[in-house]
Amino acid sequence: MNHPIIPIAVLDASRQRKRQAPKGRRVDPIALEQVQRLLGDASRQSDLLIEHLHRIQDQYGFLSSAHLAALAHEMKLAQTEVYEVASFYHHFDVVKEGQDAPAPLTVRVCESLSCEMAGAGDLLARLPTILGRDVRVIGAPCVGRCEQAPVAVVGQNPVPNATIDKVEATVTAHAVKHIPEEYIDLAEYRAHGGYELLAQCLNGKREVEAVIKEMENSGLRGLGGAGFPAGRKWRIVRAEAGPRLMAVNIDEGEPGTFKDRVYLERDPHRFLEGMLIASWAVGIEKIYIYLRDEYHGCRALLEAELAKLRAEPAMANAPAIELRRGAGAYICGEESAMIESIEGKRGMPRLRPPYVAQVGLFGRPTLEHNFETLYWVRQILEQGGEWFASHGTNGRKGLRSFSVSGRVKNPGVKLAPAGITIQQLIDEHCGGMQDGHSFYAYLPGGASGGILPATMNQIPLDFDTLQPYGCFIGSAAVMVLSDQDTATDAARNLMRFFQHESCGQCTPCRVGTAKASAIIEQPRWNLPLLADLSLVMRDASICGLGQAAPNPVDCVVKYFPHELV
């Protein structure tokens, strides 16, 4: 059969037309106009993708396919790039064509261990019927208010020590935003000597080498979990070729941890001054502050105080400071995952080397710090490194901010000497156990730090003291269990959390957390299989999530065998 010959010029013109046609979903002009109006004159640079997704989510309550396509067009990104980021983070509600939009208001009930012990399960079971169809009620992995358990979040409003009545009342008035009312603002902070130390650094009264040496003498280690010496980190990043950047981690997603939030709600400028001193000492050109999305009140506070600070003439030559908003992903507490998120991507940990200090944000050497580490800088430099190091007990040095929750009478942030024991912490700082409860077990370092029995109550709580027991202190999140709890139930809660929060990048973590969770939900655990899973996850996972996820299960097998009979 003969086919007609089509001229080459016609074929070329046809191909050209196809190439010029947009790929993927066609952009809806109404959705595009809405996105353009929302973004206004804000930059369309790709690292602002998550910020712009938040604008759409805040305005409409969800992310429609039409708006995602319009945002991709406006930012000159592939639609797949926008979709993969939007679908990665828990706080973005992506609604595909044909799907129903979520209810106008969402109530999140925290399901973390402390909230579970305080009765969150009952709230989660009863609230959907009571609040009705116009309110969506879902579980949340952790909202960073463990000392106020159980906690619900109505829209963007936290409900501490939540009851049915409290949640109903907040739903009725959900437009009210929770902003901390009693905190030290810029004027009050300056009235008590605030920013004088920074001025001494900027005007040459203090030398960089002397400041870094003082930080090294203090023995201050990173207080986000890893514990790397702060002064040494400054020296390492300073030695790298500029331009250098800085990333501050206030994602604080470890269940049981809330110290950064508490300090930020009380004294934000002490942190900001420490941050600016660190940036001066290291030679930083721009600072990015990454704040977890659950801390809506803290974000409003920081935005207001940063605006005041930027308006001061003394800040004219300071590095630019950008406040970036997380979107509900625990993995972004890992430094390289946080950096990926700041760059507008999915928060997936990077392989190392190279390290963040060498190749971090936007490929530049990056000083990465936890909030509390910077919070101590002013006091250490004013009172000397030896002052900080002079605190401690049981042969340890320094101070620790313990986030204590669970079955104690007075939970909260407890500033105590490094090396204090759990028994001393409960008795001397928390008012003892709750009435009717006896001390049974404790988690010394949050969800991933392991579980120890009350009989092991004399171990100094500090970096490097808990590793021989299969545990670690991490960010010093201490959760206390009583005789009305079991370590097996605690391990089940924690493994469900790890399964939910695994980024899915590496198979050992993605599959291992799911498999381990399924095994320990059974009445009888397959101990040989759990041991194999633990070994593979520790050896082959890319980051600390997968490497530490087996800790609670391994501790139950080792220290609580009577619960497995």
Side-chain angles (χ1 to χ4, degrees):
M1 180 177 180
N2 294 325
H3 296 281
I5 297 174
I6 301 174
I8 297 291
V10 174
L11 284 173
D12 287 344
S14 176
R15 293 190 188 109
Q16 185 67 24
R17 283 194 298 273
K18 288 180 180 179
R19 281 197 295 269
Q20 289 176 348
K23 295 181 179 180
R25 175 183 297 278
R26 299 298 176 93
V27 177
D28 179 87
I30 296 175
L32 180 60
E33 190 274 333
Q34 291 171 334
V35 167
Q36 290 172 336
R37 190 183 329 121
L38 272 178
L39 269 54
D41 59 0
S43 170
R44 269 55 167 177
Q45 63 198 56
S46 61
D47 59 284
L48 291 173
L49 174 57
I50 294 171
E51 296 295 308
H52 295 339
L53 287 169
H54 274 302
R55 292 188 185 207
I56 299 171
Q57 173 92 19
D58 289 346
Q59 177 69 25
Y60 296 102
F62 60 95
L63 300 173
S64 69
S65 297
H67 283 137
L68 292 179
L71 182 61
H73 175 84
E74 188 67 12
M75 298 185 72
K76 296 181 171 57
L77 295 171
Q79 292 186 22
T80 53
E81 291 180 84
V82 174
Y83 181 82
E84 72 175 8
V85 171
S87 59
F88 179 85
Y89 294 93
H90 305 315
H91 290 183
F92 291 141
D93 290 310
V94 177
V95 177
K96 301 177 183 178
E97 270 191 16
Q99 289 183 333
D100 293 331
L105 180 64
T106 295
V107 174
R108 289 181 166 86
V109 179
C110 182
E111 295 180 294
S112 71
L113 180 57
S114 296
C115 284
E116 182 181 80
M117 290 192 291
D122 182 60
L123 278 176
L124 193 55
R126 296 175 58 196
L127 280 174
T129 301
I130 293 170
L131 298 179
R133 297 179 61 183
D134 289 336
V135 179
R136 178 179 62 163
V137 180
I138 59 176
C142 183
V143 297
R145 296 179 176 273
C146 313
E147 85 282 24
Q148 301 169 353
V151 181
V153 181
V154 177
Q156 296 183 351
N157 302 288
V159 184
N161 306 116
T163 62
I164 296 292
D165 290 343
K166 282 185 178 181
V167 173
E168 281 191 287
T170 309
V171 166
T172 302
H174 70 271
V176 179
K177 297 289 189 297
H178 172 78
I179 300 176
E181 296 177 355
E182 297 183 5
Y183 68 89
I184 300 171
D185 65 7
L186 178 58
E188 185 178 354
Y189 185 73
R190 279 203 175 280
H192 291 86
Y195 291 107
E196 290 180 6
L197 181 61
L198 176 62
Q200 292 172 13
C201 294
L202 296 176
N203 63 25
K205 291 184 179 179
R206 288 184 181 253
E207 296 181 354
V208 170
E209 178 58 31
V211 166
I212 294 179
K213 190 67 176 176
E214 206 67 69
M215 292 296 296
E216 291 174 331
N217 291 341
S218 72
L220 179 68
R221 296 172 65 169
L223 298 171
F228 192 86
R232 192 193 308 173
K233 183 181 285 189
W234 291 16
R235 194 176 293 282
I236 290 170
V237 180
R238 181 177 173 81
E240 296 289 327
R244 308 174 199 93
L245 303 176
M246 186 174 184
V248 182
N249 190 339
I250 323 181
D251 194 57
E252 195 174 46
E254 180 82 3
T257 309
F258 48 88
K259 60 183 176 62
D260 293 351
R261 189 206 85 239
V262 169
Y263 285 143
L264 179 54
E265 289 177 339
R266 295 175 183 172
D267 198 354
H269 286 281
R270 184 169 296 272
F271 147 68
L272 291 173
E273 184 172 13
M275 178 186 76
L276 290 169
I277 291 169
S279 72
W280 162 81
V282 177
I284 299 298
E285 295 201 5
K286 189 169 184 179
I287 301 169
Y288 294 82
I289 301 174
Y290 189 84
L291 180 68
R292 73 177 302 187
D293 192 35
E294 288 86 350
Y295 293 171
H296 299 286
C298 290
R299 187 173 67 254
L301 181 161
L302 267 178
E303 286 172 344
E305 295 304 312
L306 281 171
K308 295 177 188 176
L309 195 59
R310 292 186 185 106
E312 296 208 341
M315 291 295 292
N317 296 321
I321 302 170
E322 283 199 26
L323 180 60
R324 292 294 178 89
R325 179 178 172 184
Y330 165 70
I331 191 63
C332 290
E334 196 274 340
E335 62 175 6
S336 66
M338 176 189 68
I339 283 173
E340 289 285 299
S341 189
I342 292 173
E343 292 181 355
K345 306 170 188 173
R346 294 177 295 167
M348 304 186 83
R350 297 176 178 177
L351 292 170
R352 298 190 220 11
Y355 296 95
V356 165
Q358 302 161 319
V359 183
L361 264 171
F362 308 112
R364 301 309 311 162
T366 302
L367 178 66
E368 190 276 341
H369 264 314
N370 166 258
F371 169 94
E372 195 202 348
T373 311
L374 297 168
Y375 186 85
W376 284 107
V377 169
R378 175 187 167 186
Q379 198 163 0
I380 286 172
L381 295 179
E382 285 181 339
Q383 299 187 237
E386 290 300 324
W387 163 82
F388 186 82
S390 68
H391 294 83
T393 187
N394 294 318
R396 312 305 297 174
K397 293 183 178 182
L399 291 164
R400 297 287 174 269
S401 300
F402 294 93
S403 303
V404 186
S405 63
R407 303 295 193 180
V408 295
K409 280 185 179 177
N410 302 314
V413 176
K414 312 296 178 180
L415 184 60
I420 192 172
T421 67
I422 182 62
Q423 197 65 60
Q424 292 171 316
L425 195 60
I426 293 171
D427 295 342
E428 299 171 16
H429 294 265
C430 301
M433 298 292 292
Q434 293 176 357
D435 292 339
H437 292 262
S438 298
F439 182 30
Y440 176 68
Y442 67 107
L443 288 75
S448 54
I451 309 174
L452 294 172
T455 53
M456 299 174 67
N457 62 350
Q458 297 302 317
I459 302 170
L461 299 179
D462 196 17
F463 297 112
D464 310 319
T465 60
L466 292 154
Q467 280 85 336
Y469 308 97
C471 300
F472 57 80
I473 193 171
S475 57
V478 176
M479 292 187 272
V480 180
L481 279 58
S482 79
D483 56 345
Q484 298 187 25
D485 309 303
T486 66
T488 50
D489 282 344
R492 290 178 178 122
N493 177 287
L494 301 173
M495 194 55 73
R496 287 194 296 269
F497 171 81
F498 290 130
Q499 178 185 358
H500 183 265
E501 294 298 320
S502 173
C503 74
Q505 179 178 191
C506 64
T507 302
C509 178
R510 181 183 67 251
V511 177
T513 52
K515 185 67 175 177
S517 183
I519 292 171
I520 67 175
E521 290 292 343
Q522 302 302 313
R524 297 185 67 84
W525 294 7
N526 185 332
L527 299 184
L529 183 52
L530 284 172
D532 286 345
L533 280 171
S534 174
L535 181 63
V536 172
M537 291 172 69
R538 292 181 188 281
D539 288 349
S541 294
I542 289 174
C543 81
L545 192 157
Q547 294 162 11
N551 283 344
V553 175
D554 289 351
C555 284
V556 169
V557 174
K558 185 175 182 179
Y559 299 116
F560 302 89
H562 56 280
E563 293 190 17
L564 301 176
V565 176

